Amino acid sequence: MARKFWQWKWKYSGWKNSAFVRFLLFFVLGVFFYVTLAGNIIIETYDLEAGAVSDRTIRATKEIPDEAATVKAQEQAVRQVEDVYTTLNPDSLELADTILAKLEQINGDTQFSTSEKVDIYKGFFEQMHVETLDKLLDKAGTNERLSAEVEKRLNEQKYRIPEEIYFKFPRLSLSAIQEMRGVARDIVSRLTTDKMRDTSTARGKVPELVNASSLSSANARELVQEIIRFSVLPNQFYDEAATLKAREDARNAVDPIFIRVGDIIVKENERITDEAYDKLAQMGLLKDRVSYWPELGLILLVSLFVFVIYLFTRRSRLPIKQNNAQLLMLALIFVINLLLMKIVSLGQGLDYPYIGYLAPVALGSMLIAILLDDALAFLSSVLFSIMASLIFNTQPGQLLFDYQFGFVALTVCIASVFAIQKASQRSTILRAGLLVSVFSALSLASIILLSGQSEYVMSSIIFALLSGLVTAVLVIGLLPFFEVSFGILSSLKLVELSSPNHPLLRKLLTETPGTYHHSVMVGNLSEAAAEAIGANGLLCRVGSFYHDVGKTKRPSYFIENQGNRENPHDHMEPALSASIIHAHARDGVELLKEYKLPKQLQDIAEQHHGTTLLKFFYHKAVKLAELEGADAAEVKESDYRYPGPKAQTKEAAVVGIADCVEAAVRSLRNPTIEQIDIMVDKIIKDRLEDDQFNECDLTIKELHTVGRSLKESLLGIFHSRIEYPELPKPNKEGG
């Protein structure tokens, strides 16, 4: 039972109006969105174990800190830091002066015996060592480790004067001491100028320097050497605290090392180390740690995309609200646009990270604007920009939406819709493509200036400029495919069909000039009327051009083509005349099919008369029956009605009204405003009462609007002319 119901439902409504097909189209569109965007959002995971050999090369999918590499770099930086030595000047020159001054004082005092002087000198040199150490410790301050190092180094490098030297000091004369003073100061000053950690080298140079001095006494040269060696002290000491601080500063100065997107973590046929395994775990690339939240998030995202499209089409007044063929075309445009974006995005893995600006994102918006509707094109532009920011994301680990691509995509899509509105020539598409290039480059330039981007600037600008040309070429190439496959009459196609050079219009002009002129007049009337009610005025105009092409088969049987010739209907049976007149609608459809013109034009040619009655021939038949004594009731009205069908669209209905109005008003000799008003109102009223508008969605209010527009247009055509008075003849005699 249920199966029979669905078979009946399908047969009744057809796939173009089937709710099930509509649901299926939305579902398939959502699945396509999911599959297309999944690779940019959902990360592929691997079933791996530490220590196993990888069967593929795995690259990083997001940027994470590389702790092991960072620690290694920090250790390297620490190793490169040399030990820090602090300079503390022990003032060796002052120490030498103090020693010589003490020798001069003690040796000049006669109260001390030689043995006493020896004891004094032993204690004095020990005291000088302690005092020098104390001074250096004061300079070290609170740095305990430095103080300990100073004390250690000074004690280790303390010069111990030989015992016998103490017995020689008392023998020095005051003049010898004075002579030793200058030599000692000069040599100490020279030896302590440089940084010195170890005094052994400097002390080793003392004998050579003393021997080269001006001292002549051997005893003085020997004793001054000992004083100089004692006075030469280290002035640089290892500073452990400063060294540790320098190493810590070096460690902290190392910037964290990151694993960049695309870096190889594991190479094919390479063993997976614990370190590499931890990195894979951090990135969520292991199957045992996989999360299904991204899949759920993507499902919600594409569901929102589809839901937005559904809401718009549901509330739209366009045929796409119920016509699944148009919905299929919209879905196909989305598929083509996204596939082209995905193909271009493959170049991002070939060292062209900004090739996304080359993508013809505006292609979908332009096709939707031309083939469907501007408002739907604007909505689609927003969706395309969001998808572009996902597909061309150069930092998938850090960003979900890279809206520098999305911003450019939104700009060019909206600009293309404005540029392509009411396009009447194919060249308009090329101009729109150039505008896309300009807006793409300008929007990209704003991003570059705001962000301070310095890499790939020229290549990005070149890609942006080329995108508009690529878009225009693709639109021009794809437009005929959609027009033919879905029977879409775009404005561009209609303008092409309206050309007088079209073979069928040339046939109409040459064989039936009266009908051609009538068709042109009907086109002007119907276009204005259709635009007044929001219908497709261009379709009405072009449809009017072709609505009477069937008259080319028997042109002389139609009054506008007879001229001054005799009317053949005057000698024909009314039924035969009616059949000839009826046939022009059917003949027109056959001619339109023969010349492969779109179905919309065929429908207008077939429906513009609907099932109206040929009143003239019907009444003629009734009168003949009465004259012949036959029963007039036997004359069937149905035999004198057009076979129809009635107008199915507003455009067909408007063309039918304009056709009848133009013929009726043209039959008037000098139509006045009142006559035109009465004639238009009567024709519309007769058709309304004859139920000719029952099968189209033309409202009473719209009929009044159509009537008002027709009256205004007819007044412009049949306007009153001023009769100029005859000028008086010039007086030949008076000049």
Side-chain angles (χ1 to χ4, degrees), residues 172-173 175-181 183 209-225:
L172 287 171
S173 63
S175 60
I177 294 173
Q178 287 295 332
E179 190 178 2
M180 291 167 57
R181 185 184 302 277
V183 174
L209 295 173
V210 171
N211 290 332
S213 68
S214 58
L215 287 174
S216 58
S217 171
N219 186 51
R221 287 199 297 270
E222 180 185 7
L223 295 180
V224 80
Q225 288 182 30

Side-chain angles (χ1 to χ4, degrees), residues 307-321:
F307 187 63
V308 167
I309 298 173
Y310 165 75
L311 286 180
F312 183 90
T313 55
R314 181 186 177 188
R315 300 180 66 85
S316 174
R317 295 182 178 180
L318 302 171
I320 196 173
K321 179 178 182 179

Side-chain angles (χ1 to χ4, degrees), residues 43 66 100 135 187 343 375 391 423 479 515 526 528 542-543 611 656 705 713:
I43 300 173
D66 191 342
L100 290 168
K135 289 179 181 180
I187 295 174
I343 292 171
I391 292 174
L479 195 56
T515 300
S526 63
V542 180
T611 58
T705 304
S713 299

Side-chain angles (χ1 to χ4, degrees), residues 625-663:
E626 292 175 349
L627 289 174
E628 294 173 357
D631 186 2
E634 293 181 359
V635 179
K636 297 181 180 179
E637 183 179 297
S638 59
D639 294 337
Y640 294 87
R641 283 188 176 274
Y642 280 94
K646 296 178 181 179
Q648 304 296 305
T649 62
K650 290 182 180 181
E651 288 77 12
V654 170
V655 171
I657 296 172
D659 174 54
C660 189
V661 165
E662 196 279 333

